[in-house]
Every structure is written in C-alpha cells, then in structure tokens.
Amino acid sequence: MWKVVLTIICVTATVRLCWAKSDLPTCAFDEGVYLKTIAWMESQRHAEWGWEKGFTPRAILALQMVNSSWLHEESDLTRQLSLKQMNIEILSGQLQNKTITPVQLAYITNALIFSCQDPRDFHGVNFVDKLVNALALYPNEGFSNLFQYGMVLLALCNSNEPVDEEYISTLLEGQRKDGSYMFGSDEASMALMALACLQDNQTITTSNIQSHINYLAQGQREDGSFGNEISTALNIMVSISIMVL
C-alpha cells in the first residue's frame, strides 16, 4: 500500500525532473492514468470506507496532496465517509492507548493538516506536542534513521511549529561528504524536503540545499526515473518542494 500511495504522487506530478540532465524526457501528465489510479485507490477501501492496516491517514494524505479538492467534491460523498473513518481510527487509537510511532504521528499530523483539521486540537488531542516529545527521544527503537527523522521534522514544519537548531543539525550531520546518506537517495530525499520547508532557519544554508540536490540529480536514469517507483515518487515530491526556494 505504501508503494501505491507514493506511485499516486508520481503519476500525477507535472513537474520535470531535470536538475542536471536537461535533455531527458519530461514526466508527462496523463489525465487518464491519474483518474485510473485514483479510482483504483478508492476501490481498495473496506466496507467502512477506510483502508486496511491503518493506512487510512496515509491514503487520504496522498489523495489530498495530488488533488486538494478530493475530499470536498460533492459528486462523491463517500470521500467524506473516508474522512470520518480516518477520524474514527485516529480517535480509537487514542482511546485504546495504542502505541503510535513517531512516523505514524507524522502521517496523522500531515493528514489532519491536508484535510483542513487542526492537529493541535483534534478532539482535545495535540499531535504536534506528541511529535515534539517524540523528536526529543531520537534515536530509539522504531525511530532510528534519518528518513523517519526527516519525516517528523517535515510534519512539524507543516504545523508551523518552531524547530530547534540542534534538531536541524542532527539531520545535516547525517549527510556524508559526497552528499549521500547511510540509507541512500530515499533518506536524502526526505531530508531535503524537511530542509526546504525549514529553509528560513539560519542553520540551513544554500550550500546545504544544493549539496542534496546535486547528490539526488546524479541518481536520475536515462529514462527519467530514479531506480524504482518509491525513489522516483520521492524525488518528484522533492522537486515540488524546491520549486518554492
């Protein structure tokens, strides 16, 4: 399911991935592929209009990212039922005191933001505070790599939560001299998205941003991809992020 969520973002992006290779073909927008992919994603909902295995916040986040009006199209009220199911699942987890990892918190926070809900006061629950507390405990079991760390920083940034310089430094210090990260381009992509969002912080320099871009650009293949659908989708998300720099 996670692969599908990222693929949705990939096939609906209209930006060109050509930081360093201007002769590569564009990532063309195909409305037929877009509609087919969205329809398939919607068809995977269960009887309560959510997705299995706790993927409802992730699925709604992806769908809203590629179509900000997805939840509010009056022609399909089942989408509102999906939103209601997401809220039920989130609240159920809170009432049952289920363990929620920092990454899950980040997905929930972003899903609430993209669905026009307040992550600081979701029926009395402050998910932003939970993210801040989780970040202070890095690294620990289940929260031990910079992909996860960058995802949490990005969710905090999307929430307009100030991020201490020491946390940004932890992310920057994970980058090697050649621009890479321990776990490759996916980790570098998530780091760059977080840094792009947090760019106003004085800890982040133009050279920090550029070194990430240069490293990721080297991984683009002749067909325009970055190895697989997950890495390619992440790089498309990165390219959208850096367009605002």
Side-chain angles (χ1 to χ4, degrees), residues 104 108 126 160 238 244:
Q104 289 171 326
I108 289 171
N126 189 331
N160 294 317
V238 166
V244 301

Side-chain angles (χ1 to χ4, degrees), residues 54-228:
F55 276 99
T56 302
R58 303 186 193 193
I60 287 181
L61 172 60
L63 291 164
Q64 277 294 103
M65 284 180 69
V66 299
N67 178 6
S68 60
S69 64
W70 181 81
L71 279 171
H72 308 291
E73 291 182 1
E74 296 181 359
S75 60
D76 189 350
L77 296 180
T78 66
R79 297 173 179 180
Q80 285 295 311
L81 293 176
S82 293
L83 177 62
K84 180 180 179 180
Q85 179 61 25
M86 180 185 80
N87 291 350
I88 289 172
E89 290 178 13
I90 293 172
L91 288 172
S92 175
Q94 293 299 300
L95 291 172
Q96 296 176 40
N97 292 317
K98 289 183 177 179
T99 299
I100 302 178
T101 68
V103 171
Q104 289 171 326
L105 285 172
Y107 281 125
I108 289 171
T109 299
N110 282 324
L112 291 174
I113 292 169
F114 274 80
S115 60
C116 300
Q117 301 184 85
D118 186 358
R120 297 178 185 276
D121 185 14
F122 180 71
H123 298 277
V125 180
N126 189 331
F127 285 103
V128 177
D129 275 355
K130 289 179 179 290
L131 274 176
V132 171
N133 293 336
L135 188 62
L137 298 176
Y138 178 87
N140 57 48
E141 185 177 357
F143 185 42
S144 58
N145 63 64
L146 292 176
F147 184 95
Q148 298 166 331
Y149 190 86
M151 189 179 296
V152 169
L153 287 184
L154 182 58
L156 288 172
C157 181
N158 287 337
S159 305
N160 294 317
E161 177 70 16
V163 177
D164 291 345
E165 291 185 0
E166 64 178 292
Y167 295 132
I168 296 174
S169 295
T170 296
L171 188 61
L172 292 172
E173 290 166 3
Q175 188 182 32
R176 296 167 173 169
K177 290 183 179 180
D178 64 355
S180 67
Y181 278 78
M182 181 180 296
F183 295 106
S185 64
D186 292 355
E187 200 168 38
S189 295
M190 186 57 68
L192 180 52
M193 282 189 281
L195 293 173
C197 187
L198 294 163
Q199 62 179 297
D200 290 339
N201 191 292
Q202 294 181 352
T203 307
I204 303 169
T205 65
T206 301
S207 133
N208 293 143
I209 299 292
Q210 193 61 49
S211 65
H212 284 76
I213 293 174
N214 292 344
Y215 167 70
L216 290 170
Q218 293 171 9
Q220 190 174 27
R221 299 184 177 182
E222 291 303 319
D223 63 359
S225 74
F226 287 82
N228 59 48

